[in-house]
Amino acid sequence: MKEKQKLDRRDTYTPADAPQVRGNCDHALNREETLSVHGLKTPSNNPDVDIQSGMTGQDLRVPVINMRNEPLMPTSPGKARRLLKHNRARVISSNPFTIQLLYATGETKQPATLGIDAGYKHIGFSVVTEKRELISGEAVMRTDMPKLNVEKSMYRRNRRNRLWYRQPRFMNRRNNSKGWFAPSIAHKLQTHIRLIEKLKRILPVSKVIIEVASFDQQKMKNPEISGIEYQQGELQGYEVREYLLEKFHRTCVYCGKTNVPLEIEHLTPRSRNGPDTVDNLAISCHECNQKKNNLTAEEFGYPEVRKRALKSLKDAAFMNIVRWKLTQLTGSAYTFGYITKKNRISLGLDKSHANDAFVIAGGTTQARSTVFNVTQRRRNNRSLQINRKGFRPSIRRRRYPLQPGDVVEFGESRYGVVGVHSYGNYVIIRNGEKKMEVNIKKVKLVKYGKGLRFTTQFLPTLSHVVSLEGS
């Protein structure tokens, strides 16, 4: 009996020409990095915890708030999962995912610097300590403010025209007082401030540095403002060249060539007393520069180039308007974009708003964090609209329970709301290509989609989701 139980010796030799047949075992199990393979850990009941863990291939830290609502150093997703499991912490926000401790702890913090790459359409942000990057991302701001203001003026004008008894108000004009900003500019300024304040509420930021402008137009128009150090320093000419490349889209203004060496060109040649201000500078390829010789742009047959040179960059003009107000309201230090670019190139980083913010914050060799994508959605708490007959504007003063952009749970999956109809009783939800129409009684609100929204990657197979209606 014992002899029958003996096993023959295994022949583990495999011929070199044998076909490679895929087995039923994960090939990643044979690696030494088995513990970091996705799917080998038991997922948490809260998918927001797993989103920031190694289970999704991301490297994110979980912000931590103490019992007095003060930010502490962020923790790892694994420790956050254990704290939630043992009821030693609770989730207070999923935008971004943040926990609050339910027990007293120390307040030892490391110095953290917040770098902000301010701009007209995008905001890059990064919080850096001595050893690692705590959070980074890129926020895309709304650009529909001027269009909505035009529509609002149209509705208001039509409504007032129907009021025959209304007395004329000739003094009802825009505010020209000092420090006043147009509504679209003021909205972008407040968006920068709200983003900075939000990051300071969840992370122990000790210093804020803002890139107030890519180019200092005032210095370029009057270089004597900054003295001789600016003229003879290592950044001499660097800012002007980068400004021209950005302004003319890295294209020769005469022949339209790209991906060729470009030179700074005077529209009115210096031999004819042409100034060195940016209004008289453009970029061109070497052939066009030599062919133009000492002619002006008009004599060379390109009068439109002069008009393009007189126009300032919208981004640079916006930052010149609000930069000092932004640093004053946030109590921040400031820097300029040409300095950021020089440091970014020396570190070998690609061009992105998140990388620029990392450099602005003083980042060098710290461990990087996965980039957040932040979008901004209109709150739409009060709507001015035309009724079904096409006239008489009606105001919907009651906010529907769910709005486009909200995140809801239906079944065991999470979906984004893309539409609302039947007076808010039905919502249209979508997850990828899947689109459905559901009664609001069958869905559960997870998160409102108003204001600044940090991108969250959902795990639709997980259930038992914590509802964060107030986050």
Side-chain angles (χ1 to χ4, degrees):
M1 186 68 181
K2 294 182 179 180
E3 293 181 357
K4 292 183 180 181
Q5 292 179 351
K6 286 185 177 181
L7 297 177
D8 295 335
R9 183 177 181 181
R10 289 185 60 191
D11 185 6
T12 58
Y13 171 75
T14 302
D17 58 348
Q20 300 297 323
V21 181
R22 182 177 179 88
N24 58 354
C25 292
D26 192 341
H27 65 89
L29 293 175
N30 296 323
R31 298 202 308 249
E32 294 182 359
E33 298 87 351
T34 303
L35 294 179
S36 63
V37 176
H38 308 327
L40 297 183
K41 293 181 181 180
T42 303
S44 171
N45 287 334
N46 191 327
D48 291 311
V49 183
D50 302 319
I51 289 166
Q52 307 197 56
S53 67
M55 301 176 65
T56 59
Q58 299 185 5
D59 182 19
L60 298 177
R61 309 295 287 180
V62 178
V64 180
I65 308 297
N66 64 11
M67 299 177 65
R68 295 184 298 277
N69 294 322
E70 297 176 352
L72 302 175
M73 294 301 296
T75 185
S76 64
K79 186 173 181 179
R81 187 184 298 108
R82 291 190 295 270
L83 291 173
L84 293 173
K85 181 179 179 180
H86 295 90
N87 295 325
R88 305 196 69 189
R90 66 186 183 96
V91 180
I92 62 170
S93 174
S94 62
N95 190 36
F97 182 72
T98 308
I99 64 173
Q100 183 179 27
L101 300 180
L102 301 179
Y103 64 95
T105 182
E107 299 183 0
T108 303
K109 305 175 185 178
Q110 302 176 14
T113 303
L114 169 60
I116 296 292
D117 179 21
Y120 184 77
K121 296 180 180 179
H122 301 85
I123 307 176
F125 58 91
S126 175
V127 179
V128 177
T129 62
E130 184 180 354
K131 295 183 179 180
R132 65 176 301 126
E133 185 180 40
L134 304 181
I135 191 174
S136 68
E138 175 181 334
V140 181
M141 290 187 291
R142 290 176 53 195
T143 57
D144 59 345
M145 296 294 293
K147 179 182 177 181
L148 294 176
N149 287 333
V150 171
E151 293 180 358
K152 181 179 68 174
S153 300
M154 178 189 66
Y155 289 133
R156 185 171 296 169
R157 188 181 303 110
N158 292 336
R159 184 173 71 251
R160 289 177 177 176
N161 288 338
R162 287 190 292 270
L163 300 177
W164 296 347
Y165 59 86
R166 184 184 180 93
Q167 297 181 357
R169 298 183 180 180
F170 297 102
M171 300 304 296
N172 187 13
R173 297 295 183 265
R174 54 179 268 181
N175 188 354
N176 292 321
S177 60
K178 185 178 180 181
W180 176 86
F181 294 124
S184 58
I185 300 298
H187 180 269
K188 293 182 181 297
L189 174 62
Q190 291 300 322
T191 300
H192 283 78
I193 296 175
R194 282 195 296 268
L195 179 60
I196 294 174
E197 295 299 326
K198 183 177 184 65
L199 294 175
K200 292 174 68 174
R201 284 196 301 268
I202 63 176
L203 294 172
V205 176
S206 57
K207 182 179 180 181
V208 181
I209 303 177
I210 302 176
E211 181 185 295
V212 293
S214 298
F215 320 97
D216 193 349
Q217 291 180 321
Q218 188 177 14
K219 284 186 178 180
M220 290 187 289
K221 290 184 178 180
N222 186 9
E224 295 301 328
I225 291 179
S226 56
I228 196 168
E229 290 183 359
Y230 175 80
Q231 292 296 311
Q232 298 179 356
E234 61 177 349
L235 295 177
Q236 179 182 4
Y238 194 88
E239 181 183 19
V240 175
R241 178 177 177 82
E242 180 60 23
Y243 175 83
L244 296 175
L245 290 173
E246 187 74 17
K247 185 175 185 179
F248 296 102
H249 308 291
R250 289 169 169 78
T251 304
C252 177
V253 295
Y254 300 120
C255 65
K257 290 183 180 179
T258 58
N259 299 324
V260 295
L262 298 173
E263 302 174 351
I264 296 179
E265 199 273 323
H266 290 71
L267 302 181
T268 300
R270 297 182 63 183
S271 60
R272 299 171 64 174
N273 298 323
D276 290 330
T277 60
V278 292
D279 297 339
N280 190 49
L281 297 178
I283 55 174
S284 66
C285 63
H286 180 73
E287 296 179 358
C288 292
N289 197 4
Q290 293 296 320
K291 187 177 180 180
K292 179 176 176 290
N293 200 2
N294 65 339
L295 300 176
T296 64
E298 293 78 7
E299 295 172 348
F300 193 49
Y302 295 89
E304 69 279 0
V305 176
R306 178 79 65 178
K307 296 179 181 179
R308 292 176 60 189
L310 293 175
K311 294 182 179 180
S312 61
L313 282 174
K314 183 180 292 186
D315 294 13
F318 162 73
M319 291 310 305
N320 282 337
I321 295 173
V322 304
R323 58 182 180 178
W324 304 128
K325 191 70 173 179
L326 178 60
T327 55
Q328 177 185 359
L329 294 177
T330 58
S332 310
Y334 64 90
T335 183
F336 290 99
Y338 64 96
I339 302 176
T340 303
K341 180 179 180 181
K342 179 178 181 298
N343 296 334
R344 175 172 51 80
I345 293 176
S346 64
L347 294 174
L349 299 176
D350 296 332
K351 168 60 180 175
S352 70
H353 297 284
N355 285 342
D356 286 347
F358 175 73
V359 175
I360 293 170
T364 52
T365 59
Q366 290 90 336
R368 299 300 303 275
S369 171
T370 303
V371 176
F372 271 106
N373 291 323
V374 183
T375 56
Q376 188 179 24
R377 176 171 286 273
R378 182 183 180 188
R379 295 181 181 273
N380 198 22
N381 292 330
R382 180 177 180 270
S383 296
L384 185 64
Q385 57 194 17
I386 296 177
N387 62 11
R388 295 182 178 180
K389 295 184 179 180
F391 60 94
R392 290 188 61 187
S394 60
I395 299 177
R396 174 171 56 82
R397 300 180 183 275
R398 182 177 64 87
R399 187 186 191 279
Y400 291 154
L402 296 176
Q403 295 279 351
D406 294 346
V407 179
V408 296
E409 181 184 358
F410 179 64
E412 294 184 354
S413 302
R414 287 184 177 185
Y415 298 87
V417 178
V418 296
V420 184
H421 65 93
S422 297
Y423 298 99
N425 294 321
Y426 284 84
V427 293
I428 302 174
I429 58 178
R430 181 174 61 187
N431 186 356
E433 299 297 332
K434 191 176 182 180
K435 197 172 181 180
M436 295 178 293
E437 178 181 320
V438 186
N439 191 297
I440 62 172
K441 296 180 180 179
K442 298 181 181 180
V443 299
K444 179 181 178 181
L445 176 65
V446 177
K447 180 174 58 177
Y448 285 127
K450 58 186 180 180
L452 295 173
R453 303 185 303 166
F454 287 71
T455 297
T456 307
Q457 299 180 12
F458 302 118
L459 304 178
T461 58
L462 299 180
S463 58
H464 309 292
V465 182
V466 177
S467 178
L468 303 173
E469 300 182 7
S471 61

